[in-house]
Amino acid sequence: MLIYSKIALHAPKQQLLARVETDIVENILCQYRTSPQDTELKLALIQSVTEVSCALQGVGTCENFSFASKRVLLELVLDFMKQEPLDCVASPVRYRAILAVEHLSKIKPSLTQKENCHLLQECFRSLFPLPPLEQTKEGEAADDAEHAEALYTRSLEALARLMTSLEEELTLSWLKETFHLLEAWLRSGKEWERERALYACTHLLKTYTERLEDARENSSEQFGSMIGVLGPLSCDSLATSRQRAVDCISCLLSTQGKVMHTREVDLNHFCEELMAADVDSLLRTSSKIAKVACKSFCSEQARGFLKAVLGSMLSFSPTCARAAGEWMLIFLKECGREMLLEVPEILTILYDHLPAAQQGTLKEFLFEAVSVLGCYHPEAVTNSLLQRHLPMDSDTVELWRTLGRGIFAIEMLQLLMGKLESAEDTPARSNCLDEEGSDNLAALEPLMVTCALRELVYSLEPRESVSLLLPRLFPMLLKQISNTLGKELPSSAGRVEDEPVLVASGEGSSPCRLSIKALDTVLCKCISEKCMGILRKQNTWAFLENPRTYHEGMCLLTSVLLQTDVVTVTTIRAVLPWLDSPSANLRIMAASFFAELMKAPMLQKWKLLQPVRRALVDKSLDASSTVRRMAVRGLGNLASGAPEKACRSTFLLCTPFLGLQKLQTQVALNTEKSAEELQEAVCSHLARDMPELLQSVYDTLQTYFWSSCWGMRTAAIQLAGKRQS
């Protein structure tokens, strides 16, 4: 070159460098500013900058020399590139400018990494958006089209060299920054932009792999995120892009192999399969590549991979999005077993992407990903998901229901039951019925567990699997209803947003209602539709939720469940200790449960009649008036479920509550009388001394005249006859 020759042959080094700075560069800039700025002038100035740069490189610079005009010239060349039209390759300005930047960037002072990234970004913006060559050739002469193609090809080649020459050493940091710049183009909605970005990426990774002679740099940190971006592109719409994506993956696997000292993986045999035109074939091939690539993963790369592949799932291309989902699932299936410690972070990443994945297919991939993790680590998944406090949004609800369809659902349900059992018994000091100023907030953790349990059971099949756990599950949910009765949601939990799922439409939410809905869902799996219909028809749940009618709701519930197999020895033994609970709510629940249970003959059969009767006698003196009332009702109901003997004893115990001391004395003195004689004596006493109470008894008897039980109807009519006599 002319400038290079004159400088190199006729001047000492120091003088030469000074002349370049003061004379030559100044003259170049002066001529540019004073001349008409057309394409020829731009090309001339670019050529001059290139020659000066080459001359300085040829001579070599002094240690204290700093080319002050470097940044000015770079900005000038970049401006020329920005001014080029993006709809065609009309002139060699773009190509020559990239060459000038390449040469100029090698001269001191060295640019910062940020400045080098800026240079690359501007080159990408100038070159990648150009229309495909097929469009450029339309309507042009053959020579012009051939010239444009040559300029385009040379520009891409120059750009590829520039990426690997801007930094003196091709470090991992530079690889990371350059790939980050390319990532936006790799996910472009225009296939030709992705193709060009893949061309540049292939050159970058090949060069890096060739220069990585040892494992001094641990590139595994970036391996996961790069694979997450490139893997789904193996299903790109362009065959050339698919091939380049696999070339990039091969380079990454080679680099990973050098770092981890494993054998090199060959993906060349997949190239022919990637030429297929149908989507299903491409997805199958992509999945094969994913299985090969996943064998090179280590656990610390999971986070980067998942973030990147989830970004690819939001791709413009449905095929690439599906491929991204497949890569994610294959990764979790292949590597998930060893990723226990990473479960919380992985779930956070998956969960954070749920709002953006509006399409059903994408959400299904995310839900299935959680299911895969749940299969390997059910406890870790359960614990992590329970950190998502109320309100339970629709995505969380759907996620728990998805887990309910997994093969590990029973194990997860048992984990939730264990957490509910071990939860702190907060109502021990919170007595919303009998104590003033008590804490009126429900405990958050058991409430969250209850909501999760409900959604899990909602999808769990077969139904028998829930029935097997019911003896333990039923009293557990009763206790949770008692604990949340009359309470409000904690301050860290807001109004439940997903009303169609968690609360009835148009209604507010309450912790007790959420607990009741969990019981409703469980019972739906275990008892007949007829029984569930009865519960709803008689407004059992509404009674049960109201602190004023809570005991009546419990009686209605128990009455219906006595017709099923829900009430077992295990259930009774679990509820019996609640009669001595410090919580009034829990005592009321137990007393109401046994008040209705006393009608059933099963207590005598299971030899539990005497313990329950003694407990109810004790509770007839309870501090809670509701507990006392339920205890007396239970003792009264014993008449229909117990033998004639401990009926006479119960009647003797109940008469004090009626205020009939004379009657009590009469019964005590006539213990040898038969039941018929005792009835006649009682009716005679009531007719003589308490006609109003006798009328009340008669009104009650009338309700049994139409009983479905023949014996009950007969006894009621006979007793009514005694009253008339």
Side-chain angles (χ1 to χ4, degrees), residues 320-332:
C320 287
R322 285 177 58 190
E326 293 293 342
W327 274 71
M328 175 182 63
L329 293 180
I330 289 171
F331 167 74
L332 292 175

Side-chain angles (χ1 to χ4, degrees), residues 384-519:
S384 296
L385 291 180
L386 288 176
Q387 299 305 310
R388 309 241 164 229
H389 289 169
L390 295 170
M392 188 180 281
D393 56 48
S394 58
D395 285 337
T396 307
V397 168
E398 193 173 352
L399 182 53
W400 279 110
R401 291 185 177 184
T402 300
L403 294 173
R405 292 189 285 269
I407 58 175
F408 51 87
I410 288 295
E411 183 178 357
M412 193 168 281
L413 177 58
Q414 290 174 325
L415 288 169
L416 290 174
M417 292 168 62
K419 289 182 178 297
L420 199 55
E421 284 178 328
S422 62
E424 182 181 359
D425 192 11
T426 51
R429 67 177 182 86
S430 178
N431 214 341
C432 68
L433 292 182
D434 292 18
E435 298 180 6
E436 293 183 1
S438 62
D439 182 4
N440 207 34
L441 296 179
L444 180 59
E445 182 181 357
L447 185 58
M448 184 65 188
V449 172
T450 302
C451 292
L453 185 149
R454 180 209 174 195
E455 305 309 333
L456 195 72
V457 170
Y458 183 88
S459 301
L460 201 149
E461 295 292 347
R463 298 166 68 96
E464 291 76 14
S465 56
V466 182
S467 300
L468 292 174
L469 295 173
L470 193 61
R472 178 183 166 202
L473 187 55
F474 176 61
M476 187 186 307
L477 291 175
L478 288 181
K479 189 172 185 179
Q480 175 62 11
I481 292 171
S482 171
N483 290 348
T484 55
L485 180 67
K487 299 295 184 68
E488 297 177 359
L489 286 173
S491 56
S492 59
R495 176 183 174 86
V496 176
E497 297 175 351
D498 188 24
E499 290 190 341
V501 178
L502 291 181
V503 298
S505 179
E507 298 177 338
S509 62
S510 71
C512 189
R513 181 177 298 139
L514 298 179
S515 302
I516 289 173
K517 284 187 172 292
L519 178 61

Side-chain angles (χ1 to χ4, degrees), residues 350-365:
L350 294 172
Y351 198 93
D352 289 345
H353 279 77
L354 273 173
Q358 295 302 319
Q359 296 182 28
T361 305
L362 301 185
K363 278 193 175 183
E364 288 173 8
F365 276 122

Side-chain angles (χ1 to χ4, degrees), residues 684-701:
S684 298
H685 177 82
L686 292 177
R688 182 175 63 252
D689 296 338
M690 302 192 71
E692 294 180 358
L693 182 57
L694 181 62
Q695 181 62 40
S696 176
V697 172
Y698 180 72
D699 292 341
T700 303
L701 284 173

